[in-house]
Amino acid sequence: DGRNGYDGYDGCPPSSGSNGENGYDGQNGEDGDNGGSGGNIKIVTRADQNEILLLVKAVTAPGDGGWGGSGGRGGSGGRGGSGGRNTCVDAQGKPTGGPDGSSGYNGQNGRDGSSGWNGRAGRAGVLSYDLVGPNGTQSYPAPFSLTVTAIKAVDDNEDTVLEPGEKLHVTEIKVTNSGPMPTSLGQAIKFSLTESPILQVVQVPEMAITETIPGGGAKTLSLAKGEVVLQVKKQDGVVGKKVDLLGKVAINHIAKDFLKESGYSIHWRVGLDAVTGDSIAYFDKAKKISFSVKNVSTKAVGPGGDPVEVTIAWSSAEIPGADVEFVLADGRRFNLAQAVVFSDLAIA
Protein backbone atom coordinates (compact mmCIF):
# COMPACT_ATOMS: atom_id res chain seq x y z
CA ASP A 1 0.00 0.00 0.00
CA GLY A 2 1.06 3.62 -0.53
CA ARG A 3 2.26 5.62 2.46
CA ASN A 4 -0.07 8.15 4.08
CA GLY A 5 0.64 11.87 3.62
CA TYR A 6 2.05 13.98 6.48
CA ASP A 7 -0.32 16.13 8.48
CA GLY A 8 0.14 19.93 8.23
CA TYR A 9 1.45 22.04 11.15
CA ASP A 10 -0.78 24.20 13.26
CA GLY A 11 0.19 27.85 13.16
CA CYS A 12 -0.49 31.27 11.77
CA PRO A 13 -0.80 30.67 8.99
CA PRO A 14 -1.25 26.85 9.23
CA SER A 15 0.42 24.54 6.71
CA SER A 16 -1.42 22.10 4.40
CA GLY A 17 -1.19 18.29 4.70
CA SER A 18 0.89 16.48 2.06
CA ASN A 19 -0.68 14.11 -0.56
CA GLY A 20 -0.84 10.35 0.13
CA GLU A 21 1.46 8.11 -1.95
CA ASN A 22 -0.06 5.99 -4.76
CA GLY A 23 -0.49 2.24 -4.05
CA TYR A 24 1.90 -0.20 -5.77
CA ASP A 25 0.66 -2.37 -8.70
CA GLY A 26 -0.07 -6.06 -7.92
CA GLN A 27 2.29 -8.65 -9.39
CA ASN A 28 1.12 -10.86 -12.31
CA GLY A 29 0.19 -14.48 -11.52
CA GLU A 30 2.52 -17.29 -12.64
CA ASP A 31 1.49 -19.46 -15.63
CA GLY A 32 0.18 -22.96 -14.79
CA ASP A 33 2.45 -25.91 -15.59
CA ASN A 34 1.53 -28.19 -18.50
CA GLY A 35 -0.09 -31.52 -17.61
CA GLY A 36 2.01 -34.67 -17.72
CA SER A 37 1.68 -37.01 -20.70
CA GLY A 38 -0.19 -40.29 -20.32
CA GLY A 39 1.94 -43.38 -19.82
CA ASN A 40 2.72 -45.89 -22.56
CA ILE A 41 1.39 -49.32 -21.51
CA LYS A 42 2.16 -52.61 -23.23
CA ILE A 43 0.36 -55.75 -22.04
CA VAL A 44 1.82 -59.06 -23.23
CA THR A 45 0.20 -62.50 -23.05
CA ARG A 46 0.13 -65.79 -24.93
CA ALA A 47 -2.27 -66.20 -27.86
CA ASP A 48 -3.89 -69.22 -26.19
CA GLN A 49 -4.55 -67.34 -22.94
CA ASN A 50 -5.70 -63.93 -24.12
CA GLU A 51 -9.16 -64.33 -22.54
CA ILE A 52 -7.55 -63.02 -19.33
CA LEU A 53 -7.31 -59.63 -21.05
CA LEU A 54 -11.08 -59.29 -20.54
CA LEU A 55 -10.30 -58.83 -16.84
CA VAL A 56 -7.70 -56.10 -17.43
CA LYS A 57 -8.51 -52.39 -17.32
CA ALA A 58 -5.74 -49.92 -18.20
CA VAL A 59 -5.91 -46.12 -18.57
CA THR A 60 -3.43 -43.90 -20.44
CA ALA A 61 -5.25 -40.58 -20.05
CA PRO A 62 -3.02 -37.46 -20.00
CA GLY A 63 -2.81 -35.09 -17.05
CA ASP A 64 -4.74 -31.81 -17.07
CA GLY A 65 -2.82 -28.54 -17.31
CA GLY A 66 -2.34 -26.54 -14.13
CA TRP A 67 -4.43 -23.47 -13.44
CA GLY A 68 -2.70 -20.12 -13.95
CA GLY A 69 -1.95 -18.19 -10.77
CA SER A 70 -4.22 -15.28 -9.83
CA GLY A 71 -2.79 -11.77 -10.21
CA GLY A 72 -1.85 -9.88 -7.08
CA ARG A 73 -4.19 -7.18 -5.76
CA GLY A 74 -3.04 -3.62 -6.29
CA GLY A 75 -2.00 -1.73 -3.17
CA SER A 76 -4.29 0.90 -1.64
CA GLY A 77 -3.35 4.56 -2.08
CA GLY A 78 -2.07 6.39 0.99
CA ARG A 79 -4.36 8.78 2.89
CA GLY A 80 -3.71 12.51 2.36
CA GLY A 81 -2.37 14.35 5.38
CA SER A 82 -4.73 16.61 7.38
CA GLY A 83 -4.27 20.37 7.15
CA GLY A 84 -2.92 22.25 10.20
CA ARG A 85 -5.28 24.31 12.38
CA ASN A 86 -5.29 28.12 12.19
CA THR A 87 -3.95 29.56 15.50
CA CYS A 88 -3.86 33.34 14.60
CA VAL A 89 -4.81 35.82 17.43
CA ASP A 90 -5.10 39.67 17.66
CA ALA A 91 -3.18 42.02 20.01
CA GLN A 92 -5.46 41.09 22.85
CA GLY A 93 -4.76 37.38 22.25
CA LYS A 94 -8.19 36.62 20.87
CA PRO A 95 -8.47 34.19 17.92
CA THR A 96 -8.95 36.11 14.69
CA GLY A 97 -10.41 33.14 12.78
CA GLY A 98 -9.34 32.16 9.31
CA PRO A 99 -9.06 28.98 7.27
CA ASP A 100 -7.22 25.92 8.48
CA GLY A 101 -4.61 24.36 6.23
CA SER A 102 -6.02 22.17 3.41
CA SER A 103 -5.76 18.34 3.58
CA GLY A 104 -3.60 16.49 1.05
CA TYR A 105 -5.10 14.28 -1.71
CA ASN A 106 -5.41 10.53 -1.15
CA GLY A 107 -3.04 8.45 -3.26
CA GLN A 108 -4.48 6.28 -6.12
CA ASN A 109 -4.86 2.50 -5.67
CA GLY A 110 -2.37 0.36 -7.56
CA ARG A 111 -3.57 -1.84 -10.51
CA ASP A 112 -4.30 -5.54 -9.93
CA GLY A 113 -1.85 -7.96 -11.52
CA SER A 114 -2.93 -10.18 -14.49
CA SER A 115 -3.70 -13.88 -13.91
CA GLY A 116 -1.26 -16.37 -15.43
CA TRP A 117 -2.17 -18.63 -18.39
CA ASN A 118 -3.51 -22.13 -17.70
CA GLY A 119 -1.13 -24.94 -18.58
CA ARG A 120 -1.89 -27.25 -21.55
CA ALA A 121 -3.10 -30.84 -21.10
CA GLY A 122 -0.48 -33.51 -21.62
CA ARG A 123 -0.41 -35.90 -24.59
CA ALA A 124 -2.37 -39.15 -24.45
CA GLY A 125 -0.37 -42.28 -23.80
CA VAL A 126 -0.36 -45.43 -25.94
CA LEU A 127 -1.99 -48.70 -24.85
CA SER A 128 -1.21 -51.88 -26.79
CA TYR A 129 -1.83 -55.60 -26.33
CA ASP A 130 0.78 -58.04 -27.63
CA LEU A 131 -0.06 -61.67 -28.37
CA VAL A 132 2.81 -64.12 -28.45
CA GLY A 133 1.93 -67.04 -30.73
CA PRO A 134 3.51 -69.67 -32.97
CA ASN A 135 4.06 -67.10 -35.74
CA GLY A 136 5.66 -64.45 -33.55
CA THR A 137 4.23 -61.45 -31.70
CA GLN A 138 1.25 -59.45 -32.96
CA SER A 139 0.18 -56.10 -31.46
CA TYR A 140 -3.45 -54.93 -31.13
CA PRO A 141 -5.05 -51.73 -29.77
CA ALA A 142 -7.73 -53.65 -27.80
CA PRO A 143 -8.73 -57.24 -26.83
CA PHE A 144 -11.46 -59.28 -28.51
CA SER A 145 -15.11 -58.68 -27.54
CA LEU A 146 -17.73 -61.44 -27.92
CA THR A 147 -21.46 -60.78 -28.33
CA VAL A 148 -24.29 -63.17 -29.13
CA THR A 149 -25.83 -61.31 -32.08
CA ALA A 150 -28.54 -63.72 -33.22
CA ILE A 151 -30.45 -66.81 -32.04
CA LYS A 152 -32.86 -68.85 -34.15
CA ALA A 153 -35.56 -70.93 -32.48
CA VAL A 154 -38.63 -72.87 -33.62
CA ASP A 155 -41.78 -73.86 -31.74
CA ASP A 156 -42.46 -77.54 -31.16
CA ASN A 157 -45.06 -78.13 -33.89
CA GLU A 158 -43.60 -75.45 -36.21
CA ASP A 159 -46.85 -73.56 -36.71
CA THR A 160 -45.19 -70.18 -35.80
CA VAL A 161 -47.26 -69.95 -32.59
CA LEU A 162 -45.75 -70.55 -29.14
CA GLU A 163 -48.41 -71.52 -26.61
CA PRO A 164 -48.28 -71.94 -22.82
CA GLY A 165 -46.65 -75.29 -22.04
CA GLU A 166 -45.19 -75.69 -25.55
CA LYS A 167 -41.53 -76.54 -26.15
CA LEU A 168 -39.10 -74.19 -27.91
CA HIS A 169 -36.10 -75.57 -29.84
CA VAL A 170 -32.93 -73.50 -30.36
CA THR A 171 -31.39 -74.26 -33.79
CA GLU A 172 -28.73 -71.56 -34.27
CA ILE A 173 -26.54 -69.31 -32.12
CA LYS A 174 -24.43 -66.64 -33.83
CA VAL A 175 -21.57 -64.96 -31.97
CA THR A 176 -19.63 -61.92 -33.22
CA ASN A 177 -16.15 -60.69 -32.25
CA SER A 178 -16.42 -56.90 -32.41
CA GLY A 179 -12.83 -56.36 -31.16
CA PRO A 180 -9.68 -56.19 -33.30
CA MET A 181 -7.96 -59.17 -31.66
CA PRO A 182 -8.75 -62.82 -32.46
CA THR A 183 -10.24 -65.03 -29.76
CA SER A 184 -8.05 -67.40 -27.77
CA LEU A 185 -6.07 -69.83 -29.89
CA GLY A 186 -7.21 -73.43 -29.36
CA GLN A 187 -9.79 -72.49 -26.68
CA ALA A 188 -13.48 -73.39 -27.08
CA ILE A 189 -16.14 -70.68 -26.94
CA LYS A 190 -18.89 -72.24 -24.81
CA PHE A 191 -22.58 -71.35 -24.57
CA SER A 192 -25.22 -72.10 -21.97
CA LEU A 193 -28.92 -71.21 -21.69
CA THR A 194 -30.60 -70.62 -18.35
CA GLU A 195 -34.12 -70.54 -16.96
CA SER A 196 -36.04 -67.26 -17.30
CA PRO A 197 -39.31 -65.99 -15.78
CA ILE A 198 -41.15 -67.49 -18.80
CA LEU A 199 -38.99 -70.45 -19.95
CA GLN A 200 -37.79 -73.53 -18.09
CA VAL A 201 -34.88 -75.69 -19.23
CA VAL A 202 -35.77 -79.15 -20.60
CA GLN A 203 -32.49 -80.10 -22.26
CA VAL A 204 -29.41 -77.91 -22.71
CA PRO A 205 -26.19 -79.86 -23.38
CA GLU A 206 -22.74 -78.29 -23.50
CA MET A 207 -22.47 -76.18 -26.66
CA ALA A 208 -19.21 -74.82 -28.07
CA ILE A 209 -17.48 -73.26 -31.09
CA THR A 210 -13.96 -74.67 -31.28
CA GLU A 211 -12.65 -72.36 -34.00
CA THR A 212 -10.85 -69.06 -33.42
CA ILE A 213 -12.93 -66.02 -34.41
CA PRO A 214 -10.80 -63.28 -36.01
CA GLY A 215 -11.24 -59.63 -35.13
CA GLY A 216 -14.45 -58.31 -36.72
CA GLY A 217 -15.54 -61.87 -37.60
CA ALA A 218 -18.48 -64.07 -36.62
CA LYS A 219 -19.28 -67.78 -36.30
CA THR A 220 -22.61 -69.61 -36.19
CA LEU A 221 -23.27 -72.75 -34.15
CA SER A 222 -25.94 -74.93 -35.84
CA LEU A 223 -28.02 -77.28 -33.72
CA ALA A 224 -30.47 -80.05 -34.60
CA LYS A 225 -34.09 -79.63 -33.50
CA GLY A 226 -34.47 -81.44 -30.19
CA GLU A 227 -30.86 -80.92 -29.17
CA VAL A 228 -31.49 -77.73 -27.14
CA VAL A 229 -35.00 -77.58 -25.69
CA LEU A 230 -36.77 -75.11 -23.42
CA GLN A 231 -40.44 -74.98 -22.48
CA VAL A 232 -42.94 -72.22 -21.77
CA LYS A 233 -44.03 -72.38 -18.14
CA LYS A 234 -47.69 -73.15 -17.50
CA GLN A 235 -48.55 -70.23 -15.30
CA ASP A 236 -50.92 -67.28 -15.21
CA GLY A 237 -49.96 -64.13 -17.03
CA VAL A 238 -47.63 -65.55 -19.70
CA VAL A 239 -50.00 -65.01 -22.65
CA GLY A 240 -48.93 -61.91 -24.56
CA LYS A 241 -45.41 -61.90 -23.08
CA LYS A 242 -42.34 -61.59 -25.30
CA VAL A 243 -39.95 -64.55 -25.04
CA ASP A 244 -36.30 -63.72 -24.40
CA LEU A 245 -33.46 -66.23 -24.16
CA LEU A 246 -30.98 -65.82 -21.28
CA GLY A 247 -27.54 -67.39 -21.13
CA LYS A 248 -23.77 -67.06 -20.92
CA VAL A 249 -20.91 -67.13 -23.42
CA ALA A 250 -17.58 -68.14 -21.90
CA ILE A 251 -13.95 -69.05 -22.58
CA ASN A 252 -12.64 -71.19 -19.74
CA HIS A 253 -14.00 -69.55 -16.58
CA ILE A 254 -14.37 -66.03 -17.96
CA ALA A 255 -18.04 -65.58 -18.88
CA LYS A 256 -20.37 -62.87 -20.15
CA ASP A 257 -24.18 -62.84 -19.76
CA PHE A 258 -26.44 -62.30 -22.74
CA LEU A 259 -30.14 -61.70 -23.41
CA LYS A 260 -31.51 -62.23 -26.91
CA GLU A 261 -35.02 -62.11 -28.35
CA SER A 262 -36.38 -65.42 -29.63
CA GLY A 263 -38.77 -63.82 -32.12
CA TYR A 264 -41.79 -65.28 -30.31
CA SER A 265 -44.54 -63.94 -28.10
CA ILE A 266 -46.82 -66.34 -26.25
CA HIS A 267 -50.42 -66.67 -27.42
CA TRP A 268 -53.00 -69.28 -28.36
CA ARG A 269 -53.43 -70.64 -31.87
CA VAL A 270 -57.17 -69.98 -31.82
CA GLY A 271 -58.89 -66.82 -30.69
CA LEU A 272 -61.97 -64.66 -31.12
CA ASP A 273 -61.59 -62.84 -34.43
CA ALA A 274 -64.57 -60.50 -34.76
CA VAL A 275 -68.04 -59.67 -33.45
CA THR A 276 -70.63 -58.54 -35.98
CA GLY A 277 -73.74 -56.60 -35.16
CA ASP A 278 -74.59 -54.72 -31.98
CA SER A 279 -73.15 -56.66 -29.05
CA ILE A 280 -74.95 -54.47 -26.49
CA ALA A 281 -78.72 -54.93 -26.28
CA TYR A 282 -81.70 -55.02 -23.93
CA PHE A 283 -82.78 -58.65 -23.55
CA ASP A 284 -86.51 -58.08 -23.54
CA LYS A 285 -86.58 -60.12 -26.74
CA ALA A 286 -84.24 -62.54 -28.54
CA LYS A 287 -81.09 -60.88 -29.87
CA LYS A 288 -78.61 -62.37 -32.35
CA ILE A 289 -74.86 -61.78 -31.84
CA SER A 290 -72.52 -63.23 -34.46
CA PHE A 291 -68.78 -63.83 -34.01
CA SER A 292 -66.03 -65.89 -35.61
CA VAL A 293 -63.12 -67.89 -34.27
CA LYS A 294 -59.79 -67.59 -36.11
CA ASN A 295 -56.75 -69.85 -36.41
CA VAL A 296 -53.64 -67.61 -36.27
CA SER A 297 -51.14 -70.44 -36.80
CA THR A 298 -49.81 -71.77 -40.12
CA LYS A 299 -51.29 -75.26 -39.64
CA ALA A 300 -54.85 -76.56 -39.70
CA VAL A 301 -56.54 -77.23 -36.37
CA GLY A 302 -59.53 -79.41 -35.67
CA PRO A 303 -60.52 -82.53 -37.68
CA GLY A 304 -57.74 -83.36 -40.16
CA GLY A 305 -55.26 -81.15 -38.29
CA ASP A 306 -53.90 -80.57 -34.80
CA PRO A 307 -56.60 -81.22 -32.17
CA VAL A 308 -58.04 -78.18 -30.47
CA GLU A 309 -60.80 -77.64 -27.95
CA VAL A 310 -63.02 -74.56 -27.90
CA THR A 311 -65.07 -73.84 -24.78
CA ILE A 312 -68.12 -71.59 -24.91
CA ALA A 313 -69.47 -70.39 -21.56
CA TRP A 314 -71.93 -67.72 -20.44
CA SER A 315 -71.37 -65.58 -17.36
CA SER A 316 -73.87 -62.96 -16.21
CA ALA A 317 -75.32 -61.88 -12.87
CA GLU A 318 -78.56 -60.73 -14.54
CA ILE A 319 -79.28 -63.23 -17.31
CA PRO A 320 -78.97 -66.97 -16.58
CA GLY A 321 -77.20 -69.21 -19.10
CA ALA A 322 -80.41 -71.26 -19.40
CA ASP A 323 -81.93 -68.29 -21.27
CA VAL A 324 -79.05 -68.15 -23.78
CA GLU A 325 -78.77 -70.33 -26.85
CA PHE A 326 -75.56 -70.83 -28.86
CA VAL A 327 -75.87 -71.78 -32.55
CA LEU A 328 -73.02 -73.07 -34.74
CA ALA A 329 -72.74 -72.30 -38.43
CA ASP A 330 -73.74 -75.91 -39.21
CA GLY A 331 -77.07 -75.40 -37.40
CA ARG A 332 -76.33 -77.19 -34.13
CA ARG A 333 -77.84 -75.48 -31.08
CA PHE A 334 -76.68 -75.57 -27.47
CA ASN A 335 -78.16 -74.15 -24.31
CA LEU A 336 -75.50 -72.36 -22.20
CA ALA A 337 -76.78 -73.34 -18.77
CA GLN A 338 -73.46 -75.20 -18.69
CA ALA A 339 -70.20 -74.54 -20.58
CA VAL A 340 -70.03 -76.37 -23.91
CA VAL A 341 -66.75 -77.90 -25.13
CA PHE A 342 -66.14 -78.56 -28.86
CA SER A 343 -63.33 -80.75 -30.17
CA ASP A 344 -64.65 -81.30 -33.68
CA LEU A 345 -64.56 -77.75 -35.05
CA ALA A 346 -62.59 -77.11 -38.24
CA ILE A 347 -61.14 -73.65 -37.79
CA ALA A 348 -59.72 -71.87 -40.83
Side-chain angles (χ1 to χ4, degrees):
D1 293 340
R3 289 176 295 185
N4 295 330
Y6 296 106
D7 293 337
Y9 295 104
D10 298 339
C12 184
S15 65
S16 297
S18 65
N19 295 331
E21 188 177 41
N22 293 335
Y24 296 100
D25 293 338
Q27 290 187 331
N28 294 332
E30 297 288 337
D31 293 337
D33 287 336
N34 294 332
S37 298
N40 295 327
I41 300 175
K42 184 186 292 289
I43 299 173
V44 182
T45 188
R46 284 168 38 180
D48 60 349
Q49 295 180 342
N50 62 336
E51 71 275 8
I52 64 173
L53 296 178
L54 302 180
L55 304 177
V56 175
K57 185 174 179 62
V59 178
T60 60
D64 295 327
W67 293 97
S70 300
R73 185 178 61 83
S76 300
R79 181 179 58 80
S82 300
R85 291 179 300 166
N86 187 315
T87 59
C88 295
V89 295
D90 58 14
Q92 285 77 33
K94 295 180 180 180
T96 60
D100 293 333
S102 59
S103 297
Y105 293 106
N106 294 333
Q108 295 179 333
N109 294 334
R111 293 175 298 176
D112 292 339
S114 301
S115 295
W117 295 98
N118 294 335
R120 291 175 296 183
R123 292 175 299 175
V126 177
L127 175 61
S128 63
Y129 299 84
D130 287 359
L131 292 189
V132 180
N135 298 321
T137 300
Q138 298 289 327
S139 185
Y140 300 92
F144 65 83
S145 178
L146 291 179
T147 305
V148 174
T149 50
I151 292 182
K152 286 187 179 180
V154 62
D155 59 284
D156 198 41
N157 59 5
E158 299 186 37
D159 65 352
T160 70
V161 175
L162 187 63
E163 298 181 286
E166 187 174 2
K167 292 178 180 178
L168 182 68
H169 303 261
V170 176
T171 57
E172 280 189 8
I173 300 176
K174 181 180 179 181
V175 62
T176 299
N177 177 10
S178 59
M181 180 186 294
T183 58
S184 305
L185 183 65
Q187 302 290 346
I189 302 168
K190 298 180 180 180
F191 304 91
S192 62
L193 293 171
T194 57
E195 183 171 325
S196 73
I198 293 176
L199 294 175
Q200 63 189 21
V201 173
V202 176
Q203 177 177 295
V204 178
E206 184 175 280
M207 300 172 284
I209 291 175
T210 57
E211 304 166 79
T212 298
I213 304 178
K219 296 286 183 182
T220 298
L221 177 66
S222 296
L223 303 159
K225 183 182 176 183
E227 191 175 351
V228 177
V229 185
L230 300 105
Q231 187 174 24
V232 180
K233 296 178 181 179
K234 292 182 178 180
Q235 59 187 28
D236 294 336
V238 297
V239 174
K241 298 288 187 181
K242 185 178 69 173
V243 179
D244 292 326
L245 296 169
L246 307 180
K248 295 180 182 292
V249 56
I251 298 179
N252 291 324
H253 297 292
I254 300 176
K256 178 180 180 181
D257 294 330
F258 69 82
L259 181 152
K260 204 66 188 171
E261 294 182 4
S262 68
Y264 282 91
S265 293
I266 301 171
H267 55 87
W268 299 106
R269 284 179 286 174
V270 175
L272 186 66
D273 182 43
V275 175
T276 59
D278 187 1
S279 60
I280 301 175
Y282 295 102
F283 284 86
D284 55 342
K285 60 181 180 179
K287 174 69 177 178
K288 181 180 179 181
I289 301 174
S290 300
F291 62 90
S292 59
V293 178
K294 184 178 180 180
N295 173 17
V296 297
S297 73
T298 59
K299 290 188 174 183
V301 294
D306 290 337
V308 65
E309 289 186 346
V310 177
T311 300
I312 304 295
W314 178 265
S315 177
S316 171
E318 303 294 332
I319 302 170
D323 293 343
V324 180
E325 187 177 53
F326 179 76
V327 183
L328 292 175
D330 61 10
R332 286 182 288 171
R333 296 172 176 271
F334 302 88
N335 184 273
L336 294 184
Q338 304 249 342
V340 182
V341 180
F342 301 95
S343 58
D344 60 347
L345 295 182
I347 302 173

